[in-house]
Amino acid sequence: MVLWQKKLMSLENEKVILRLPNRSDYNSWVNLRAKNFSSLACWEPDGALKNISYSDFKIRINWAERGFKNKDVLSMVIFRKPSLELVGSITLENVKYSPFYSGYIGYWLGSEYYRQGLMSAALSSIIDFTVRNWKITKVSAATLPENKASINLLRKFNFTEEGVGKKYLKIKGIWRDHIIFSYISPERK
């Protein structure tokens, strides 16, 4: 289900509600990031965990709103139903239209919310929305080879391995290779 409210857009399914971030999300977001710092540091690029000030968050809100308006970024916070706890975030960015109709997705979830189907629900909603509304027919993701949970999630959604991005992201001070996966929508004929 897609709900529109002036500038705010949200997606909803049986497990999660996704919406563009707003200022009222800051405390929940920063607390979840801080609580999961050590686990997120294993997967996220250097510097990502440093951008947690309120000022940084306002910049992120503006970037997400502008990106949504321009249809080149869809960055949403994820809330678990029915409690409406903020549990993570998912972002489709680097959206390119003709002739590519593609984008890159990234996501994170608080470790206390693993294995509950929440990221599956979020990924399903994002893919469905961008294929139907933005006509994006290829979504790519990069993951570390040891991130089995992410690899399994991507495979569940018919992402196929395309190759290795050599020295793709710097994580914990080391340039790390990532496996590149892509989802090709049946609409891509």
Side-chain angles (χ1 to χ4, degrees):
M1 174 189 308
V2 179
L3 304 171
W4 300 90
Q5 303 168 344
K6 291 188 181 180
K7 295 188 332 186
L8 182 67
M9 196 272 305
S10 65
L11 304 173
E12 183 174 349
N13 61 39
E14 67 284 346
K15 288 193 176 233
V16 295
I17 296 173
L18 295 88
R19 68 165 166 71
L20 298 176
N22 64 51
R23 292 177 183 200
S24 68
D25 299 322
Y26 176 71
N27 287 333
S28 297
W29 179 84
V30 76
N31 290 336
L32 186 62
R33 300 277 296 169
K35 185 177 179 182
N36 286 275
F37 182 86
S38 57
S39 63
L40 291 173
C42 296
W43 314 117
E44 293 200 2
D46 289 359
L49 293 171
K50 294 178 184 173
N51 299 329
I52 61 169
S53 72
Y54 186 64
S55 176
D56 291 328
F57 193 71
K58 288 192 300 187
I59 291 168
R60 182 164 193 78
I61 291 167
N62 292 333
W63 171 77
E65 288 176 351
R66 187 173 50 254
F68 178 71
K69 181 180 175 186
N70 296 336
K71 295 184 179 179
D72 58 14
V73 170
L74 184 55
S75 184
M76 307 188 96
V77 285
I78 305 166
F79 297 90
R80 177 171 72 170
K81 289 172 72 174
S83 67
L84 301 182
E85 296 168 82
L86 194 151
V87 299
S89 177
I90 188 166
T91 299
L92 181 75
E93 60 186 327
N94 286 333
V95 173
K96 302 295 179 204
Y97 291 94
S98 184
F100 303 106
Y101 299 97
S102 64
Y104 287 84
I105 200 152
Y107 42 81
W108 67 273
L109 198 62
S111 60
E112 60 270 41
Y113 303 107
Y114 289 177
R115 301 186 144 321
Q116 297 176 31
L118 302 174
M119 192 53 74
S120 290
L123 184 58
S124 175
S125 289
I126 291 285
I127 289 174
D128 183 60
F129 175 83
T130 55
V131 167
R132 287 203 279 135
N133 296 281
W134 290 4
K135 309 304 180 211
I136 299 304
T137 55
K138 181 176 183 178
V139 177
S140 298
T143 188
L144 289 165
E146 66 269 24
N147 192 343
K148 301 303 181 198
S150 187
I151 290 169
N152 290 338
L153 173 70
L154 295 170
R155 287 188 173 143
K156 177 180 176 180
F157 283 90
N158 297 316
F159 279 70
T160 56
E161 188 174 329
E162 289 197 337
V164 175
K166 295 290 188 183
K167 307 214 181 292
Y168 192 81
L169 287 174
K170 195 175 193 179
I171 298 173
K172 292 187 169 183
I174 301 169
W175 286 100
R176 299 288 312 275
D177 295 350
H178 282 61
I179 303 172
I180 309 299
F181 287 87
S182 290
Y183 166 82
I184 307 294
S185 167
E187 283 78 0
R188 188 173 264 217
K189 298 174 183 171

